Amino acid sequence: MRPDLGRRTCVGLMSMLAFGSAPSPAQEPKDPNILIEKRTATLPAWAEESFRRVDAGYDGWRSEVLHDSAKPILKKFVAALGDANLPFPEKGISSELAAFTALRPKTLAPLMDRDGMQVLHADDWGATPKTMDWELLVAPLREALGHADAHPFVKFVDIQMDDDSFRGKALVHWSVSEADGSQIQINAIWMTDWAADDDTAPKLRGIAVLDYEEFRTPKPLFREVTGHLTSSLGFWEREILTGIDDYHQKVDRLIGQAFIGSQGMAVGDVNGDGRDDIYLCAHGGAPNRLLIHTADGTLRDASESSGLDFLESTRSALLIDLDNDGDQDFVASLGANLLVAYNDGQGRFDNFTPLNGKGFEDIYSLSAADPDKDGDLDLYAVRYVANGIMGGVPTPYNNANNGASNFYWRNDGVGKFVDATEEVGLDHNNSKFSLASIWEDFDGDGDLDLYVANDFGDNNLYLNQDGKFRDVATERGAEDRAAVMGLATSDFDLDGDMDLLITNMFSSAGLRIAPQQQFQGENHGEVAHEYVRHARGNTLLANDGKGNFIDVTETAGIAIAGWSWGSKFADLNNDGYADIYSPNGFLTGPVKDDL
């Protein structure tokens, strides 16, 4: 039998909506057959004030009023460029519209050309167009897209205002998937010029193309196989393809239903058949799932037979060999605690060791390594907000130091783990909003160092010095103060040392707002650059071989990858260089393309 793990739960703050019974008219007696009266949702005063601020003009944010008026116009314009069946959008377009540069360069230079895959970059723009003829202006771009239904994408990343005009720097993309499987994507950066006598009705009057790139491939880079893999899993659509919005406030909070999800997964060969299996973590009340990779390429549910079908809220798991017997053991975070389970070699887990953490805050992610070089794997667990997900506000926002502490568990043998966080020095700077960690020998001295990703502030780089750790992130150029979500390492520049890819969230609104004097008022000059940096996006740090880092994000062009969560290095085209895959997005509602 499994030991009682002593479930711990955190009751978060009540919902924004304060529910109260709708008063019945005094003249109408209460119906004795109604046990529970219908209740009406009302907003408290502070929430009503917040909702008023959805209108950017409420607080006098002229740049955002202009943005909200101009973006739909520009998006229709960009959509018409990519689809010959769409008419020229006359509304919102000045009769004096002029392309200051060509919309597509005269010639493009290849940045990559292999196996039919091409990346082309602007080389020669040619002469500035003299014509105002719409068809002549758009013909080169439409010819490049070669399709009547290119998917448009537009984001403004900067707004510069004058009294009766403004300039908006915009990211503009088109993507096309042809019937034969070939794909085209065009990425451009435009400086747009607008007349704005009336902020609610700006007129686009000019475009200067600052950057232009085309990507072409004769077939899709990847093939969707989820349906095949999950064809025998009856729960897949019901449990896995159901969004967090369908669970939120519909499942008992006492069992750990997560407000924003953040449940992870682990991959490893649990039954020794040479094929990697998948462990999916679930929110409280839904079973965690162990899915065995079968010979025919499908997945088989072994959650119950393996003994790993817990119902507790689980944010992270690892499949690793903890006892050096050659099979993959199991670690999962259950709230603030860890559960270690040892594999019998056949994919069954019945030898459990609970590790009780301090406090009640959830462990968000786990990593394992042998930093003390004693021959077994130790565990590092990171936590996020103190007092629960709704209970703590990052203070100060740009470099918060009021998060929940992280744990380092030293492996001293089967079933024996010691909390050695303080002993090895990992308690220093240990109150951040941590989301990820990664072990690597960054300074090339033969032992493993630890990098910790923190939301709302500096990251930690703990150098391993004879088994003791010291945070040197600032002095080594590795603090990367931003909205950090994930980490990956690779020698991307092939110079013999390990570099760092840090996944940060990109915010176009942040880039527009933070540079303005109105932002932060009197404190603008002190912190504006911090917030601009916070909104920039992903970071690439190049290692000098001694554990010092140089930020090469801008030259590498990898910052903007959306609302990113866990970018990874992988050589996707087998050319010897590490490429980057960056998943992104947030809440998705019922409206198509709502993000």
Side-chain angles (χ1 to χ4, degrees):
M1 293 181 64
R2 294 185 227 166
D4 181 1
L5 301 178
R7 295 188 190 180
R8 287 177 154 185
T9 58
C10 169
V11 179
L13 296 182
M14 295 297 290
S15 165
M16 258 196 216
L17 295 175
F19 288 94
S21 297
S24 300
Q27 68 273 21
E28 294 182 9
K30 182 177 179 181
D31 187 338
N33 296 316
I34 297 177
L35 298 179
I36 301 176
E37 293 183 353
K38 182 179 180 181
R39 297 187 296 177
T40 303
T42 59
L43 288 173
W46 64 265
E48 290 182 358
E49 182 74 7
S50 296
F51 273 100
R52 290 191 188 101
R53 288 190 167 88
V54 172
D55 176 4
Y58 179 77
D59 286 332
W61 280 96
R62 182 171 181 250
S63 67
E64 295 309 287
V65 172
L66 291 169
H67 165 268
D68 293 347
S69 300
K71 184 176 178 180
I73 297 170
L74 188 62
K75 190 164 185 177
K76 287 182 180 179
F77 180 82
V78 171
L81 287 175
D83 188 342
N85 293 325
L86 293 176
F88 177 74
E90 296 182 3
K91 186 176 180 180
I93 309 295
S94 171
S95 59
E96 300 176 357
L97 174 67
F100 301 145
T101 58
L103 295 180
R104 183 175 187 255
K106 181 180 179 181
T107 60
L108 293 125
L111 295 180
M112 184 186 75
D113 191 348
R114 177 177 175 174
D115 297 330
M117 185 186 302
Q118 289 184 318
V119 178
L120 308 170
H121 196 267
D123 184 34
D124 179 10
W125 286 97
T128 300
K130 302 298 184 183
T131 180
M132 292 300 299
D133 186 283
W134 165 253
E135 292 300 330
L136 289 177
L137 284 173
V138 305
L141 191 61
R142 283 181 172 166
E143 182 181 358
L145 290 167
H147 195 274
D149 188 20
H151 180 75
F153 172 91
V154 173
K155 273 193 180 293
F156 281 99
V157 295
D158 186 35
I159 298 287
Q160 302 171 18
M161 297 173 290
D162 291 320
D163 291 340
D164 58 356
S165 65
F166 73 95
R167 302 175 74 211
K169 186 177 181 181
L171 308 178
V172 179
H173 300 171
W174 296 268
S175 57
V176 173
S177 295
E178 299 283 11
D180 63 0
S182 61
Q183 296 180 316
I184 304 167
Q185 180 169 316
I186 293 178
N187 306 321
I189 301 175
W190 288 0
M191 182 61 76
T192 60
D193 181 71
W194 302 76
D197 293 329
D198 179 355
D199 289 351
T200 61
K203 294 278 189 179
L204 177 64
R205 64 185 186 187
I207 301 169
V209 183
L210 306 180
D211 193 53
Y212 183 96
E213 182 179 81
E214 288 183 12
F215 172 82
R216 297 174 176 273
T217 180
K219 60 183 179 179
L221 294 177
F222 298 94
R223 181 167 57 92
E224 174 64 69
V225 296
T226 309
H228 172 68
L229 263 66
T230 62
S231 58
S232 63
L233 302 177
F235 65 86
W236 187 260
E237 182 173 356
R238 180 181 69 252
E239 292 181 18
I240 307 302
L241 300 185
T242 301
I244 192 66
D245 56 324
D246 289 313
Y247 286 112
H248 184 50
Q249 295 187 342
K250 298 176 184 176
V251 180
D252 193 337
R253 288 173 299 167
L254 295 178
I255 58 176
Q257 195 274 315
F259 177 62
I260 59 170
S262 303
Q263 269 62 44
M265 62 181 294
V267 176
D269 179 9
V270 301
N271 57 0
D273 64 359
R275 294 182 293 269
D276 280 336
D277 310 305
I278 300 174
Y279 189 81
L280 296 179
C281 303
H283 62 79
N288 293 339
R289 297 286 186 176
L290 177 62
L291 307 177
I292 301 299
H293 189 178
T294 65
D296 66 1
T298 61
L299 297 174
R300 173 175 60 84
D301 184 12
S303 309
E304 184 177 359
S305 62
S306 67
L308 300 181
D309 56 335
F310 310 114
L311 294 175
E312 287 83 359
S313 179
T314 307
R315 292 191 182 274
S316 184
L318 296 175
L319 292 170
I320 51 176
D321 187 0
L322 290 170
D323 53 7
N324 293 327
D325 65 352
D327 55 34
Q328 301 294 289
D329 303 309
F330 173 82
V331 188
S333 65
L334 307 179
N337 310 309
L338 296 184
L339 179 66
V340 176
Y342 293 92
N343 194 338
D344 70 353
Q346 304 299 314
R348 291 184 295 273
F349 301 80
D350 53 12
N351 182 4
F352 295 92
T353 299
L355 306 178
N356 293 320
K358 299 174 183 177
F360 62 85
E361 293 88 356
D362 283 0
I363 292 169
Y364 270 62
S365 67
L366 299 165
S367 61
D370 184 17
D372 54 6
K373 297 191 286 189
D374 65 351
D376 54 31
L377 295 175
D378 306 321
L379 303 172
Y380 190 75
V382 305
R383 302 194 295 173
Y384 192 61
V385 61
N387 301 316
I389 187 62
M390 299 297 289
V393 176
T395 307
Y397 179 90
N398 58 304
N399 194 15
N401 199 34
N402 62 322
S405 58
N406 303 330
F407 304 136
Y408 169 65
W409 294 92
R410 187 177 64 233
N411 187 347
D412 283 347
V414 177
K416 298 177 182 179
F417 287 85
V418 175
D419 182 351
T421 312
E422 183 177 355
E423 178 185 337
V424 300
L426 289 174
D427 58 329
H428 180 55
N429 285 345
N430 188 29
S431 55
K432 303 286 188 178
F433 285 67
S434 304
L435 285 172
S437 60
I438 198 164
W439 296 90
E440 186 58 74
D441 182 9
F442 290 112
D443 56 359
D445 65 353
D447 53 31
L448 292 175
D449 310 304
L450 176 67
Y451 194 89
V452 182
N454 302 313
D455 201 2
F456 305 110
D458 292 350
N459 297 328
N460 307 108
L461 172 57
Y462 293 105
L463 284 191
N464 187 343
Q465 300 170 321
D466 299 322
K468 302 292 183 180
F469 291 88
R470 185 170 67 92
D471 186 4
V472 297
T474 300
E475 64 189 76
R476 297 297 184 105
E479 67 275 16
D480 192 52
R481 186 176 297 179
V484 188
M485 299 292 116
L487 300 167
T489 61
S490 176
D491 182 12
F492 82 91
D493 50 9
L494 301 182
D495 64 351
D497 51 45
M498 298 304 287
D499 309 302
L500 258 172
L501 172 62
I502 304 172
T503 304
N504 300 317
M505 290 179 171
F506 157 75
S507 171
S508 56
L511 293 180
R512 293 193 307 268
I513 293 171
Q516 298 182 43
Q517 186 65 41
Q518 181 181 354
F519 180 72
Q520 292 286 305
E522 295 179 357
N523 297 322
H524 176 267
E526 300 175 17
V527 298
H529 66 283
E530 300 257 8
Y531 285 86
V532 172
R533 178 64 187 79
H534 199 88
R536 183 185 69 171
N538 290 344
T539 295
L540 184 59
L541 298 180
N543 193 340
D544 71 350
K546 300 179 180 179
N548 301 299
F549 291 89
I550 301 170
D551 189 335
V552 296
T553 305
E554 298 299 337
T555 55
I558 60 94
I560 299 175
W563 202 259
S564 300
W565 289 98
S567 304
K568 294 297 180 184
F569 281 116
D571 184 3
L572 300 176
N573 60 346
N574 295 320
D575 64 353
Y577 291 96
D579 307 306
I580 295 173
Y581 183 79
S582 189
N584 59 72
F586 194 41
L587 296 179
T588 300
V591 179
K592 184 180 179 182
D593 300 333
D594 64 342
L595 295 182

